[in-house]
Amino acid sequence: MAELGYYNYYNVKGRLNVDKPLDTYAKRMELRNGDELNANSTDPSKGVEGQIRKLQEYLNDTAAANRAIYKDKESLKLGLKKKYFGDEYNAVTFKWRWDEHKELFAMYENELSMSMFGKISNLADPRIVQGGESFEEEENRLNKERQSAISAQFGKLLANNGVENNGALLIDFDIYEMKAVVSGSENSDNNGKIASLLNELGGGKNARQLFYFALKNNGVLSDESQQESLHKWRAVSNFDDFTGLDLRDFSLKNGEFVGKDGTKALDLLKVGVANSSTPADFKGVAYEYAKGFIDEMASLGGLEKVPDLKVSIAYDKESGFYAPKSDFYA
């Protein structure tokens, strides 16, 4: 059986070249089932993603056989056009008659894409079963999958590092340093051990992922009482991302944030965005986005006028991660 995954088999210009087939599906499953925390783990075997995977598995050996027969992409395209459309039609004709032949054309495109790149590209293929969930239903399902996955990952992280915890934990975050502060363990020594697993393994990746999960899933983004605090965090974080500097070290003077040497924060931001890896077409948008939060903080009288964002999450073995109540320890 041919190895499944993305690969530029015909060395098409402008497409990524990799050393061996890149199976992102398998990688996602591996991350989902491991002990590294991931804020966005969903089950790729479900929904449309699962249907796409099944079709790719179904077409994989056919694609390998095509590559053995057709030695360049032009002969491959010609061969597949004859297979799907016959001698009397060609792919362009079918594109002109899209409404009548869109499913057949999708099947052609997917076999072509599988043969050239090891992945499919057209969701109109009738072999992909779509529908069945509204947007709200799908989002609810995905949210439950993310909660289940990151909770299982955290449980494995504790077990694999010899940490036994039977009670409820409360995890608070230093939102600027992206560090977790753990409390609540029945064994007080465990609080420090768990914090180390979050803050030190992988350069603090676990703490960052758990922070983003808590931020999205604990209602912080929709909490009207925390919107200014959320914007303050974004102002500081975006500025740090683009400049490597702390906006909190800048003072508000005449409506602008200014450094101790007189340099304006927005001037530094503009240079930082220009020198960043942001695609050229999006640099202007990125600058305006980051500038908007900084301007808002200036209009509110400075960063010190806005309270810091509060982000926390609770965990126990039975429930996994969940939003803590204000009386969590009452």
Side-chain angles (χ1 to χ4, degrees):
M1 180 178 289
E3 190 171 356
L4 188 59
Y6 170 85
Y7 194 83
N8 191 0
Y9 289 99
Y10 289 91
N11 294 312
V12 177
K13 188 176 181 180
R15 296 297 294 258
L16 176 69
N17 287 311
V18 291
D19 295 333
K20 62 179 182 178
L22 180 62
D23 191 349
T24 55
Y25 176 95
K27 182 64 175 176
R28 285 183 60 194
M29 290 297 286
E30 180 182 336
L31 289 173
R32 177 178 171 80
N33 296 323
D35 66 354
E36 264 192 7
L37 271 58
N38 190 305
N40 201 35
S41 283
T42 56
D43 188 346
S45 69
K46 295 182 179 179
V48 175
E49 279 191 280
Q51 294 290 328
I52 290 171
R53 179 66 173 191
K54 288 178 181 177
L55 181 54
Q56 291 181 158
E57 290 173 345
Y58 173 76
L59 290 174
N60 197 39
D61 287 341
T62 300
N66 286 338
R67 292 191 291 269
I69 297 169
Y70 304 111
K71 300 304 180 184
D72 58 70
K73 65 178 183 179
E74 296 306 324
S75 62
L76 170 67
K77 288 181 179 180
L78 181 60
L80 293 185
K81 285 176 185 177
K82 289 182 177 180
K83 173 180 177 179
Y84 282 91
F85 312 125
D87 292 330
E88 68 270 28
Y89 294 115
N90 59 49
V92 175
T93 304
F94 273 77
K95 272 193 172 179
W96 289 339
R97 298 166 61 184
W98 173 251
D99 289 339
E100 184 179 350
H101 298 292
K102 62 181 180 181
E103 291 188 345
L104 185 60
F105 191 81
M107 293 173 70
Y108 156 76
E109 280 204 321
N110 282 337
E111 185 169 336
L112 176 65
S113 183
M114 275 297 296
S115 301
M116 294 177 67
F117 305 114
K119 60 183 293 185
I120 67 170
S121 60
N122 194 321
L123 299 185
D125 194 311
R127 294 167 293 188
I128 299 175
V129 179
Q130 301 201 44
E133 285 184 318
S134 67
F135 174 81
E136 291 78 11
E137 288 171 336
E138 180 184 30
E139 190 61 24
N140 287 336
R141 174 177 62 82
L142 293 176
N143 285 338
K144 289 179 181 177
E145 287 184 17
R146 294 183 186 106
Q147 189 273 346
S148 175
I150 197 170
S151 298
Q153 291 159 0
F154 185 67
K156 290 177 183 176
L157 179 68
L158 298 184
N160 292 344
N161 288 276
V163 178
E164 178 68 28
N165 184 76
N166 296 315
L169 298 173
L170 181 65
I171 302 172
D172 296 297
F173 294 92
D174 179 325
I175 61 170
Y176 299 115
E177 296 296 327
M178 210 61 78
K179 299 288 187 182
V181 179
V182 181
S183 58
S185 175
E186 293 176 343
N187 180 345
S188 59
D189 290 340
N190 279 355
N191 292 330
K193 291 178 181 178
I194 295 169
S196 294
L197 294 176
L198 293 171
N199 296 328
E200 297 174 14
L201 285 183
K205 176 186 174 183
N206 288 325
R208 290 193 297 274
Q209 288 294 313
L210 187 55
F211 169 82
Y212 288 122
F213 177 82
L215 184 68
K216 182 177 180 181
N217 290 274
N218 283 4
V220 177
L221 298 180
S222 58
D223 184 353
E224 290 297 328
S225 68
Q226 286 222 74
Q227 289 307 296
E228 289 183 354
S229 298
L230 177 64
H231 293 178
K232 175 183 177 179
W233 170 71
R234 283 176 168 158
V236 174
S237 297
N238 290 333
F239 189 72
D240 179 37
D241 288 342
F242 285 118
T243 69
L245 301 173
D246 193 335
L247 187 62
R248 293 173 295 175
D249 293 334
F250 289 68
S251 302
L252 190 62
K253 296 180 180 179
N254 299 319
E256 294 183 288
F257 285 99
V258 180
K260 293 178 181 179
D261 62 354
T263 306
K264 295 179 179 179
L266 291 181
D267 290 341
L268 294 172
L269 176 66
K270 186 174 292 185
V271 173
V273 172
N275 293 333
S276 73
S277 59
T278 305
D281 292 346
F282 295 97
K283 288 184 187 291
V285 175
Y287 171 74
E288 291 299 328
Y289 176 79
K291 176 178 180 294
F293 292 118
I294 295 175
D295 286 345
E296 180 183 353
M297 292 302 106
S299 72
L300 293 172
L303 294 170
E304 66 277 5
K305 300 294 185 180
V306 179
D308 284 333
L309 184 68
K310 302 295 184 183
V311 179
S312 60
I313 196 163
Y315 171 87
D316 64 55
K317 277 186 175 181
E318 290 72 29
S319 304
F321 285 113
Y322 58 94
K325 298 179 181 179
S326 58
D327 58 350
F328 186 78
Y329 290 120

